[in-house]
Amino acid sequence: YLQPKYSTDSEEMVGAEALVRWHGKYGMIYPNEFISLFERNGFILHLDHYIFEQTCKQISRWIEEDKKCVKISVNLSQLNFEKTNFLDDYIFMIQKYKVPTEYIEFEITESAIYKDTQRIINFINRIHELGITCSVDDFGSGYSSLNRLKEIQADTLKIDGIFFKINDDENKRAYSIVRSIVEMAKNLNMKTVAEGVESREQVDLLKKMGCDLIQGYYFAKPMTVKDFEERYNKK
Ligand code: C2E
Ligand code: CA
Ligand code: CA
């Protein structure tokens, strides 16, 4: 599935995230039901690679068909970083499908960065040389390793949806934190994406704060590639 990301300013679709869905015998299964198992038994490495290959294929198809193309981000489990040469397989895919690297982004969770800082620093240096960008996923959800941010040259902070799922009493405090994250990201030359945004009110607040992108049900839910094409790149 693809979930669109919208520009906060123009409210146009400018990118998307690839999110896995499993079509089982009894219907669709969401990643929360199998990702943690796959992280325990190692199968996540195959899954991430598969989703990445599908993404490369899709981008190269859009280019071939002269359709509108946007940057697609894919999730990378922390386990990948324990395998020293995993990036080589990914680079092979990029070359195989002749994907311009400007259309690819990797999402790495805050917790992975906390665990494997040095490997992730090396990884980011390498992908930057290739023209690929990288975002810190679920930022603010765990041990926000502010100390690590000074070493990690990521391009984008994805502000976790937890800040937007709150009751009235906590609202003000949550928004102060989001505002500070956006401000900090700007000072670090990083972009911000707000995740899990479900209401117009939140969109308006994020606009005022200068958050760059919004990903959430307010604009669009994750959808099949077919639906995505029908909605956005008919050309
Ligand atoms: P994530 O990377 O944080 O992805 C965002 C999740 O938030 C998605 O759940 C998306 O459907 C959901 N979401 C987006 N907007 C809203 C909103 O406005 N409200 C609410 N309530 N939810 C929203 P999904 O697709 O079920 O994926 C769950 C998690 O599974 C992902 O969280 C990611 O950590 C993991 N995942 C998904 N695909 C992959 C993959 O290919 N590889 C790896 N390693 N992990 C994946
Ligand atoms: Ca993600
Ligand atoms: Ca996230």
Side-chain angles (χ1 to χ4, degrees):
Y1 275 47
L2 290 172
Q3 186 180 26
K5 294 178 191 172
Y6 277 68
S7 152
T8 312
D9 260 348
S10 69
E11 301 193 15
E12 281 174 280
M13 191 280 295
V14 291
E17 174 177 8
L19 292 161
V20 68
R21 296 289 182 267
W22 185 355
H23 293 280
K25 227 196 227 162
Y26 305 104
M28 189 160 77
I29 312 173
Y30 285 85
N32 288 342
E33 289 183 48
F34 56 85
I35 293 277
S36 60
L37 168 67
F38 287 178
E39 283 188 323
R40 272 178 277 135
N41 68 16
F43 189 72
I44 192 76
L45 300 176
H46 298 291
L47 177 79
D48 282 356
H49 193 263
Y50 172 79
I51 295 293
F52 184 69
E53 178 161 21
Q54 296 305 310
T55 303
C56 288
K57 273 191 198 168
Q58 195 52 59
I59 294 169
S60 94
R61 217 173 283 147
W62 284 334
I63 292 172
E64 244 167 55
E65 295 168 2
D66 209 18
K67 284 185 170 157
K68 179 180 164 185
C69 201
V70 289
K71 196 193 270 280
I72 309 288
S73 61
V74 291
N75 292 285
L76 281 184
S77 160
Q78 183 263 330
L79 226 59
N80 287 290
F81 298 96
E82 292 177 12
K83 226 180 115 198
T84 44
N85 56 354
F86 90 93
L87 184 56
D88 295 339
D89 297 341
Y90 280 64
I91 294 172
F92 176 79
M93 280 301 150
I94 293 170
Q95 289 165 345
K96 179 172 169 192
Y97 294 101
K98 302 192 178 66
V99 179
T101 50
E102 67 194 89
Y103 293 124
I104 296 174
E105 179 155 290
F106 290 117
E107 299 198 2
I108 310 171
T109 61
E110 176 184 80
S111 52
I113 285 177
Y114 190 74
K115 216 175 153 192
D116 261 323
T117 312
Q118 192 51 50
R119 284 191 179 130
I120 286 169
I121 291 172
N122 300 343
F123 169 82
I124 294 176
N125 286 340
R126 262 190 90 193
I127 64 167
H128 277 168
E129 280 168 17
L130 299 166
I132 301 172
T133 53
C134 150
S135 58
V136 179
D137 203 357
D138 305 340
F139 187 76
S141 68
Y143 302 92
S144 289
S145 33
L146 293 180
N147 176 44
R148 298 292 153 89
L149 266 191
K150 73 183 195 308
E151 300 153 14
I152 300 280
Q153 308 271 344
D155 305 275
T156 300
L157 286 183
K158 290 192 82 174
I159 305 168
D160 196 81
I162 195 102
F163 293 104
F164 306 103
K165 270 191 220 95
I166 38 180
N167 61 45
D168 283 347
D169 292 345
E170 288 180 342
N171 246 332
K172 269 199 160 151
R173 294 174 71 85
Y175 286 117
S176 303
I177 294 170
V178 173
R179 192 177 296 112
S180 308
I181 295 174
V182 172
E183 185 95 352
M184 175 184 69
K186 281 206 179 100
N187 291 332
L188 293 169
N189 272 325
M190 297 171 91
K191 294 214 175 307
T192 40
V193 181
E195 286 193 278
V197 173
E198 295 185 359
S199 73
R200 183 71 230 176
E201 194 196 355
Q202 293 170 336
V203 172
D204 290 335
L205 279 165
L206 288 161
K207 244 182 231 247
K208 276 196 208 129
M209 293 177 194
C211 177
D212 298 288
L213 303 180
I214 291 176
Q215 181 182 354
Y217 294 173
Y218 177 76
F219 284 119
K221 288 190 173 180
M223 58 187 86
T224 62
V225 173
K226 186 166 167 277
D227 289 344
F228 186 89
E229 289 181 332
E230 266 166 27
R231 185 157 162 186
Y232 301 106
N233 46 10
K234 273 197 165 143
K235 192 178 83 173

